[in-house]
Amino acid sequence: MSFTLYPAIDLKQGQAVRLKRGDMAQATVYGDPATQARAFDEAGFEWLHVVDLDGAFAGRPANAAAVAAILSATSRPVQLGGGIRDMATVEAWLSRGIARVILGSAAVKDPDFARAACRAFPGQVAVGIDARDGMVATEGWAETSGVSALDLALGFEDAGAAAIIHTDIDRDGMLGGVNVEATAALARRLSTPVIASGGVAGVQDITALRAAGSVAGTIIGRALYDGRLTPAEAIAASRP
């Protein structure tokens, strides 16, 4: 199985930021999103992962100008999540050049829509499953549902989702190490590719995820921004 890296650009009020455990009050600002996208592109990453944080809380897109600037700055495919709750928004982002949209809260609260979107745009819709203690969180992680991550993922097995993006909220932005065990266990239960997110702190996390054999890739955030992991180190660790 190939293993793909997704450097993250999280958007808050038009700027690139990183959060700790999804807390908007704990945001570190890193500057211009387009500049960051260009740097990741030039470093050799094959994909970019973008999250409209304001959109995730508002339930509708809130950083369209920043996303447009990112698309103009890179030739790499971009996957985007945050505030995508209806088919019109899915269609709008795909028509603007987003390669893959991510449905998170909508996958829990309106699974019929989410499955319909996966079927309407095969290979272009991923399902974001953000979990705290194994239970799915929604609304920018502000609410915890009564649905388990595994049950939600299994509900999309026949829908044609491009990927399941599994985030361990308690590890996100904390540089404490990715939850390899939980992510690999989820991936082994699914035929849909699973991408890990949350907690990547260094080369060892990428190596462990790739060695698990069942995980298709990982999203990397704060470790790249803080210099704990260089793009060259990350890319080298992702390859056999």
Side-chain angles (χ1 to χ4, degrees):
M1 176 186 292
S2 63
F3 191 86
T4 304
L5 301 179
Y6 299 81
I9 302 175
D10 289 356
L11 302 174
K12 180 183 179 185
Q13 297 177 349
Q15 294 184 301
V17 305
R18 296 303 301 165
L19 306 183
K20 292 182 178 180
R21 295 194 179 105
D23 185 351
M24 290 286 268
Q26 298 190 65
T28 302
V29 178
Y30 287 97
D32 178 57
T35 300
Q36 188 61 65
R38 190 175 299 110
F40 284 148
D41 183 328
E42 293 173 352
F45 288 107
E46 296 177 359
W47 275 81
L48 299 183
H49 174 82
V50 178
V51 178
D52 180 351
L53 293 172
D54 302 300
F57 282 91
R60 61 185 184 278
N63 280 284
V67 174
I70 288 170
L71 290 171
S72 295
T74 180
S75 61
R76 307 296 184 179
V78 174
Q79 64 180 19
L80 172 70
I84 304 172
R85 309 287 169 84
D86 55 50
M87 196 69 79
T89 305
V90 172
E91 293 173 351
W93 280 128
L94 294 177
S95 70
R96 293 174 191 172
I98 292 295
R100 180 190 294 164
V101 298
I102 304 164
L103 304 181
S105 295
V108 181
K109 298 195 168 186
D110 193 355
D112 289 342
F113 149 66
R115 281 192 284 267
C118 290
R119 293 188 179 107
F121 301 99
Q124 293 183 284
V125 180
V127 176
I129 298 182
D130 304 333
R132 182 181 285 114
D133 296 325
M135 304 305 289
V136 177
T138 62
E139 307 303 325
W141 302 348
E143 301 177 11
T144 301
S145 74
V147 181
S148 76
L150 176 59
D151 285 345
L152 180 60
L154 288 171
F156 283 89
E157 276 287 79
D158 63 348
I164 298 291
I165 299 173
H166 176 252
T167 302
D168 185 323
I169 294 171
D170 287 331
R171 301 198 185 205
D172 188 71
M174 302 306 293
L175 296 170
V178 71
N179 194 335
V180 177
E181 296 80 9
T183 305
L186 179 66
R188 285 193 293 269
R189 292 291 304 274
L190 304 173
S191 60
T192 306
V194 172
I195 299 167
S197 175
V200 172
V203 168
Q204 70 278 4
D205 292 304
I206 298 172
T207 301
L209 283 167
R210 188 170 63 78
S214 57
V215 182
T218 189
I219 294 163
I220 313 174
R222 185 175 291 272
L224 286 172
Y225 287 87
D226 288 358
R228 295 167 187 254
L229 180 64
T230 69
E233 289 170 338
I235 292 169
S238 72
R239 293 173 177 166

